[in-house]
Amino acid sequence: MVEIKTDTSVDAMREAGRVVAEALSAVREAARVGVALRELDEVARAVLREAGASSPFLGYHPSWAPAPFPAVICTSVNDAIVHGVPTGYRLRDGDLVSVDCGATLDGWVGDAAVTFVVGTPRPEDVRLADTARAALDAGIAAAVPGNRIGDIAHAIGRVCRSAGYGIPQGFGGHGVGRTMHEGPDVPNEGRAGRGLLLRHGMVLAIEPMLIGGGRDAFFADADGWTLRTSDGTRAAHAEHTVAITDAGPRVLTVV
C-alpha cells in the first residue's frame, strides 16, 4: 500500500528529516582516526535525544535478521555496503565510511545516508562516493509527478553502470512515512516508463548503493546484518528522504 501524504504531513516529515541531517552532520564531524564506531553511534543518539526524537533503527527486527538492530545508525566501512553494526572498531586513515541514520519525530520518519573518507582520501574512493551522490541526485531529479518508479531506477542505474560500478540486487529505496519502510519499493536499476505512477504527496527514501569492483555480488556478514562485497572492493551508499510535489522534488533530510 502506498500512502499519499498531505502537505501538512510532509511539513512534519521535514522536521524529522532535519533531525536526521543534524545527526549525520554531527557523526561526520566526529568521525576521525582512532574513533570507535560505537562512539559515533553515541553521537547520533545524543542528537536524537536533544531533538526529542527516537530511532526507527534501534530494535528493528525484520524476519531475515538474527537479532534486533542494536544501534541508531548503520556504520558500513570499506567493503561493507549497508547495514553495518557499530562495533568497537576504531577508524583508520583512509577508511571509506557510509553512515545511515533515521529519526522518528511526532510520529513521522526521516531516513538518509552519506559516504565519506576518514583522513587521507584515495582518488578511487572519492570517485566512488561522488558517483553515489551523483546517482542520488539523478534519482531525485526523476522523482516528479507523471514519472514512474522505473524512471527513478533507470536514472540511478545509468549513473552507476556508466561509471563501471556494481549494484547489489534486491536492495534499494522505499516509501517512508509513519514507519521506516512503506510501499513502494524503489530499485536502483530498472526500465524508464515502467512501474507505479508518481503523484504529489508520495514520499520516498531514494538510496543508491554502489560496489567499486563493478560486480553485483555480495554476502551477509557473520552478524547477520552487514552486507559486504563478494570481491572485497569498497562500497558507497547515499540516501535522502524525498517528497514528490507538483513544484518538484522536495528533499526532506537536509539541515
Side-chain angles (χ1 to χ4, degrees):
M1 178 179 174
V2 177
E3 179 187 0
I4 304 299
K5 278 74 175 178
T6 65
D7 292 347
T8 300
S9 295
V10 171
D11 288 342
M13 292 189 69
R14 169 70 180 108
E15 296 310 307
R18 197 188 311 274
V19 175
V20 172
E22 290 171 352
L24 287 174
S25 179
V27 167
R28 185 167 185 169
E29 177 65 25
R32 302 177 185 276
V33 173
V35 173
L37 299 180
R38 285 199 188 100
E39 293 172 332
L40 297 182
D41 185 64
E42 289 299 328
V43 169
R45 287 177 190 245
V47 173
L48 267 61
R49 186 166 53 247
E50 178 67 21
S54 60
S55 171
F57 289 18
L58 183 64
Y60 178 60
H61 194 182
S63 59
W64 48 264
F69 196 75
V72 304
I73 58 173
C74 300
T75 51
S76 304
V77 180
N78 295 333
D79 65 330
I81 307 168
V82 287
H83 303 161
V85 177
T87 64
Y89 174 84
R90 295 192 176 276
L91 293 170
R92 302 171 183 173
D93 187 51
D95 277 346
L96 184 64
V97 183
S98 297
V99 180
D100 192 352
C101 181
T104 303
L105 183 68
D106 296 328
W108 295 102
V109 176
D111 188 8
V114 63
T115 296
F116 54 88
V117 177
V118 173
T120 308
R122 305 190 313 175
E124 58 268 36
D125 290 341
V126 173
R127 178 175 179 266
L128 180 61
D130 285 349
T131 304
R133 287 190 290 271
L136 175 58
D137 289 343
I140 292 171
V144 295
N147 271 359
R148 294 181 179 273
I149 289 291
D151 293 303
I152 298 175
H154 177 72
I156 292 170
R158 182 172 54 190
V159 171
C160 298
R161 296 299 188 189
S162 295
Y165 296 129
I167 301 171
Q169 301 300 302
F171 287 87
H174 48 86
V176 61
R178 290 286 186 182
T179 61
M180 181 169 56
H181 291 132
E182 299 182 355
D185 291 335
V186 186
N188 285 328
E189 192 169 32
R191 295 181 63 182
R194 298 295 184 92
L196 184 71
L197 184 69
L198 303 180
R199 295 173 51 194
H200 178 93
M202 289 182 179
V203 181
L204 307 175
I206 300 174
E207 51 178 325
M209 305 166 193
L210 285 63
I211 297 176
R215 300 176 62 186
D216 298 349
F218 63 91
F219 66 94
D221 210 347
D223 62 20
W225 279 100
T226 308
L227 301 184
R228 296 190 181 275
T229 64
S230 291
D231 59 7
T233 60
R234 294 187 170 192
H237 177 206
E239 179 183 15
H240 272 309
T241 297
V242 181
I244 296 167
T245 80
D246 291 333
R250 182 183 180 189
V251 180
L252 306 181
T253 41
V254 291
V255 175

